[in-house]
Amino acid sequence: MQEKSNRANWGKLFSDALSCPGKVSEAYSVFHDYSLGNAILAALQLTVKGLPLSPIASFNKWKKLGRCVKKGEKAIALVMPVTVKTKSSDEVENGAGFNDNTREVRSSGRTMFVLKNIWFSLDQTEGADYANEVTIPEWSKVQALSGLGITEQRFELLDGNTQGYSIPNKKQLSVSPVALMPWKTLFHEMAHCLMHSSAT
């Protein structure tokens, strides 16, 4: 009897990420601080772990945000640049490169890219509630909507992929409670209300 492998089928996962509608854009939205390659890499690893896409950060970053990594959780790997100091072959062969005053070897650096397992998703952490909200000094959502004559309505669509919607003629908007970037969606829908309203 053939033993079932627990190893991920990376080829299929990568193919799915590129061919399933919304997968790449979803990963790029959640991991907006990372390169597209790292966003896909993180999405694939979280999929293998059975975790949803959610913000990722290092152990120390989560600690600063008031959360700690759950016991037993394994980090995911992302590609990171590392500078490695090297001596030139001339310096090694000829003994050159020594400064007469300090006798230090002159070295040059080169950049390598390596996989580092130091990243954890929000779902791998526990602690205080984490809200990915943008704090803008002296800006209030309530005041902004009121001043522009826009009202926020309860989100009433079943489609989880819809981030938000607006009814410009009524100057109404709604943002999904599970929107990946609620503030970006809010500003986007506010613009619809202002630019496409028949009253303007």
Side-chain angles (χ1 to χ4, degrees):
M1 184 171 163
Q2 196 173 20
E3 193 174 313
K4 190 175 180 182
S5 173
N6 288 331
R7 298 185 74 185
N9 183 343
W10 291 104
K12 182 181 183 316
L13 286 169
F14 190 70
S15 174
D16 288 349
L18 295 177
S19 61
C20 292
K23 276 289 185 190
V24 171
S25 61
E26 183 184 359
Y28 195 66
S29 296
V30 174
F31 308 114
H32 59 88
D33 288 335
Y34 305 96
S35 69
L36 178 59
N38 271 337
I40 291 173
L41 186 60
L44 293 174
Q45 291 173 84
L46 291 176
T47 299
V48 168
K49 289 176 179 283
L51 295 170
L53 295 180
S54 61
I56 59 173
S58 67
F59 179 89
N60 289 332
K61 179 68 172 179
W62 283 125
K63 197 171 174 183
K64 284 180 187 174
L65 293 170
R67 301 186 67 80
C68 57
V69 174
K70 294 175 188 172
K71 191 173 183 176
E73 290 290 344
K74 303 289 184 198
I76 62 170
L78 297 182
V79 177
M80 296 179 64
V82 176
T83 302
V84 180
K85 291 184 180 179
T86 58
K87 295 180 198 174
S88 71
S89 57
D90 288 342
E91 290 173 342
V92 174
E93 289 173 12
N94 303 330
F98 285 94
N99 182 311
D100 291 335
N101 298 328
T102 61
R103 302 292 291 170
E104 289 180 0
V105 177
R106 289 188 205 130
S107 60
S108 59
R110 66 184 175 106
T111 302
M112 296 174 50
F113 291 88
V114 297
L115 280 171
K116 287 209 165 188
N117 295 64
I118 60 170
W119 309 95
F120 297 90
S121 77
L122 173 62
D123 297 290
Q124 293 177 289
T125 67
E126 56 191 1
D129 286 340
Y130 176 70
N132 190 13
E133 290 194 9
V134 177
T135 304
I136 303 171
E138 299 179 16
W139 188 85
S140 162
K141 178 174 92 168
V142 174
Q143 277 185 312
L145 292 175
S146 175
L148 296 169
I150 300 171
T151 56
E152 186 172 16
Q153 303 294 316
R154 184 177 181 277
F155 188 83
E156 294 182 332
L157 290 182
L158 296 175
D159 183 2
N161 289 325
T162 302
Q163 301 294 294
Y165 58 86
S166 61
I167 306 170
N169 289 339
K170 294 184 178 181
K171 285 203 167 183
Q172 295 176 347
L173 61 78
S174 183
V175 177
S176 169
V178 295
L180 293 175
M181 291 184 279
W183 290 98
K184 179 182 175 186
T185 304
L186 174 69
F187 297 146
H188 178 90
E189 300 306 338
M190 286 171 70
H192 276 297
C193 287
L194 296 174
M195 298 174 72
H196 303 297
S197 171
S198 60
T200 57

